[in-house]
Amino acid sequence: MSDNLNAEYNNEWLHKMASVCEESSTIDSTLFEKYEVKRGLRDINGQGVLTGLTEISEIRSYTVVDREMIACDGKLYYQGIDIEEIVDGFLSEKRFGYEEVVYLLLFGKLPNQKELDLLKDMLAHYRQSLPTSFVRDIIMKAPSTDLMNMLGRSVLTLYSYDDRADDISTENVLRQCLQLVALFPMFSVYGYHAASYFHEESSFFLHPPKEEYSTAENILHMLRPDSKFSSLEAKILDIALVLHAEHGGGNNSTFTDHVVTSSGTDTYAAISAALGSLKGPRHGGANRKVSQMFEEMKVKVRDWSDEEEVETYLTALLNRQAFDHSGLIYGMGHAVYSISDPRARTFRRFVKKLAEEKGMQKEFELYNMVETLAPKVIANERHIYKGVSANIDFYSGLVYSMLGIPLEMYTPLFAIGRIAGWSAHRLEELVNAGKIIRPAYKAVGKHKPYLPMSERE
């Protein structure tokens, strides 16, 4: 057979066998109810099944009154401290907050000035210690248009550069985690520039990070051709990293981190697994979907100030008649929060200022209108057991677009923030030396005899 015939035959075979695979893999949906399977590790009310304990962060979405769960405005605590107080605190003292949050999550307390300066010096040192050959051989020679896969590959390749890669002592894992906190921005930004040059024929440049810059400042410095940015831009990107840094042990990527860490494997394997989870559009990839959805909305809706026209588009989204036909309004709703997501609530306070600086007030007003209308439209079109509110992805996509950050960088930015939380949870799992995580799956298939080849259909 020629190569073309081989390819045609292979495609036909795969098409045919895919339906066979789907049929053999489909489980009777009534069995999940029969055996009380908590699909998605959630109960019938959408509450997560308790699988572990953590002191790193707490998510609160309800209060208990007379033994009844009452929904409330969402709250998020890092090591017991309200995230909104953390943001207000470092902003009132006119400093960047992400490095402070890294310290808080890893060590359980807010740093004093000396401790914070030492951590910043450590991160600056690790940013300068990446071998030149790594950028050349790993990032430049194998550019990928998918930056999350590139980020995962870069993390796994670090294993080969680490003489103590398999040492899971607290001291060594802490060193590895701090290196990853320092290097994630470089991997992401350099990966973007390499992909743009080789796949889109854009100009190629690499700005080395500056020791005196914060993580947020370095991202903008390395990303932009002229390295210029305003103080407001850097401040809001820093807030984004803070709000993305941690969100409990039960979110998909952090739980993945716990599961893989519990096997006793190395840091690079555990973090790359978490990256693979975060990439998904149901998790960290949702911020890209929000921006893409709004881009279509801005084309389809002629008058952005017309509530009726916007509501018609939102209804079309839910009825699978618009955008990606998924039936979702991206950025609305959360597995835990119902009345409000504290991260979105915090972010919203600063988005308007950035919109005014960028001359994008109309876009901001459209987002505001969708945030108001979407819960009503969802309530009319869906039978839901709890309220729906905007989540962090709803506003992060708008912020990144106003900052001129390319769409490909949206989910990597989530990862740059979240590596702090993943690191803290990996250390917590190792320090508490729990059992390997192994939930049960009940086999429901029927037993069948083995048939000789001559008796098979």
Side-chain angles (χ1 to χ4, degrees):
M1 284 186 184
S2 69
D3 289 342
N4 287 337
L5 285 175
N6 268 322
E8 184 179 348
Y9 175 80
N10 286 340
N11 288 336
E12 288 180 359
W13 185 86
L14 286 171
H15 180 72
K16 174 184 176 182
M17 297 311 294
S19 61
V20 175
C21 182
E22 288 180 357
E23 183 178 352
S24 67
S25 299
T26 300
I27 297 173
D28 182 353
S29 60
T30 62
L31 294 178
F32 291 96
E33 296 180 15
K34 177 180 178 181
Y35 294 111
E36 298 182 348
V37 176
K38 306 298 189 294
R39 302 196 73 178
L41 289 180
R42 300 182 200 172
D43 64 22
I44 194 171
N45 295 316
Q47 297 295 317
V49 175
L50 186 63
T51 59
L53 304 174
T54 184
E55 293 183 341
I56 296 168
S57 69
E58 177 189 356
I59 302 165
R60 187 175 296 173
S61 61
Y62 64 88
T63 57
V64 178
V65 179
D66 295 330
R67 298 184 181 180
E68 183 180 353
M69 293 169 53
I70 307 296
C72 66
D73 282 318
K75 301 292 287 184
L76 175 61
Y77 300 86
Y78 289 176
Q79 295 285 5
I81 304 175
D82 191 323
I83 185 61
E84 293 171 273
E85 291 183 18
I86 293 172
V87 172
D88 288 341
F90 65 73
L91 287 178
S92 68
E93 297 179 3
K94 294 182 171 54
R95 64 173 182 274
F96 292 100
Y98 180 65
E99 290 75 18
E100 182 175 320
V101 161
V102 170
Y103 191 101
L104 172 64
L105 292 174
L106 289 175
F107 305 116
K109 73 181 191 72
L110 291 169
N112 59 34
Q113 190 61 56
K114 182 180 179 180
E115 291 166 336
L116 183 57
D117 289 343
L118 284 172
L119 176 66
K120 289 179 179 179
D121 289 344
M122 185 75 73
L123 295 177
H125 166 72
Y126 285 136
R127 290 189 193 108
Q128 302 296 330
S129 63
L130 185 66
T132 303
S133 60
F134 189 99
V135 177
R136 181 191 66 220
D137 297 339
I138 309 305
I139 295 178
M140 292 179 62
K141 286 188 177 179
S144 172
T145 55
D146 190 309
L147 296 187
M148 287 299 287
N149 282 350
M150 181 283 308
L151 187 52
R153 186 181 73 230
S154 297
V155 170
L156 285 173
T157 306
L158 279 178
Y159 180 98
S160 302
Y161 288 75
D162 189 344
D163 294 334
R164 299 170 60 195
D166 290 310
D167 179 354
I168 59 172
S169 65
T170 301
E171 179 181 346
N172 191 57
V173 171
L174 178 60
R175 171 188 65 84
Q176 292 170 329
C177 288
L178 288 174
Q179 284 182 311
L180 291 174
V181 170
L183 294 176
F184 262 37
M186 297 173 67
F187 290 160
S188 301
V189 176
Y190 290 175
Y192 168 73
H193 288 317
S196 297
Y197 175 75
F198 288 105
H199 294 286
E200 299 178 13
E201 300 182 351
S202 64
S203 297
F204 185 69
F205 58 90
L206 291 180
H207 298 314
K210 292 189 175 184
E211 291 187 21
E212 67 272 22
Y213 275 179
S214 68
T215 300
E217 289 174 305
N218 262 316
I219 291 170
L220 295 173
H221 154 68
M222 292 187 293
L223 184 61
R224 295 179 172 178
D226 60 4
S227 292
K228 294 180 180 179
F229 53 87
S230 71
S231 59
L232 179 61
E233 288 178 316
K235 179 171 72 174
I236 290 182
L237 181 56
D238 176 68
I239 293 169
L241 297 177
V242 167
L243 296 176
H244 280 105
E246 165 59 8
H247 205 237
N251 70 79
N252 196 276
S253 57
T254 303
F255 185 62
T256 298
D257 180 21
H258 272 283
V259 171
V260 178
T261 293
S262 76
S263 73
T265 193
D266 65 274
T267 297
Y268 307 108
I271 298 303
S272 66
L275 281 165
S277 164
L278 188 71
K279 176 187 173 184
R282 294 183 180 180
H283 194 7
N287 53 20
R288 294 183 60 170
K289 286 286 191 179
V290 173
S291 289
Q292 291 168 329
M293 178 186 74
F294 268 95
E295 285 306 307
E296 184 190 86
M297 189 186 308
K298 288 189 286 186
V299 173
K300 295 290 181 69
V301 176
R302 295 181 180 180
D303 183 355
W304 297 358
S305 63
D306 186 334
E307 289 193 7
E308 186 175 341
E309 193 175 355
V310 172
E311 187 171 328
T312 298
Y313 179 81
L314 295 177
T315 303
L317 282 173
L318 290 178
N319 291 327
R320 305 178 189 273
Q321 297 168 349
F323 187 44
D324 62 358
H325 306 285
S326 66
L328 299 173
I329 299 176
Y330 289 100
M332 298 302 301
H334 190 271
V336 178
Y337 302 118
S338 55
I339 293 180
S340 66
D341 180 338
R343 302 166 301 169
R345 199 167 61 234
T346 301
F347 223 3
R348 189 192 300 112
R349 292 159 46 195
F350 305 97
V351 175
K352 185 177 181 180
K353 294 179 183 178
L354 186 60
E356 290 170 352
E357 180 178 284
K358 296 293 182 179
M360 296 178 65
Q361 294 95 327
K362 288 186 177 180
E363 283 84 352
F364 176 71
E365 290 168 3
L366 176 62
Y367 272 72
N368 259 344
M369 183 183 293
V370 171
E371 183 181 10
T372 301
L373 293 177
K376 301 175 185 176
V377 174
I378 293 171
N380 289 335
E381 299 290 326
R382 297 277 193 274
H383 296 291
I384 53 176
Y385 58 83
K386 65 184 183 71
V388 175
S389 60
N391 59 46
I392 183 64
D393 295 317
F394 186 82
Y395 280 109
S396 63
L398 175 61
V399 167
Y400 297 155
S401 67
M402 289 194 291
L403 291 174
I405 292 172
L407 191 67
E408 297 86 347
M409 279 286 297
Y410 285 16
T411 311
L413 278 174
F414 196 149
I416 291 169
R418 187 56 59 87
I419 181 59
W422 290 338
S423 297
H425 280 278
R426 173 164 170 77
L427 285 161
E428 189 176 63
E429 183 68 37
L430 289 171
V431 167
N432 287 283
K435 294 181 179 180
I436 185 171
I437 296 173
R438 191 187 186 284
Y441 268 66
K442 182 176 181 62
V444 293
K446 296 180 180 179
H447 291 186
K448 295 167 281 193
Y450 178 83
L451 294 178
M453 182 64 73
S454 60
E455 295 182 22
R456 300 177 195 172
E457 296 181 357

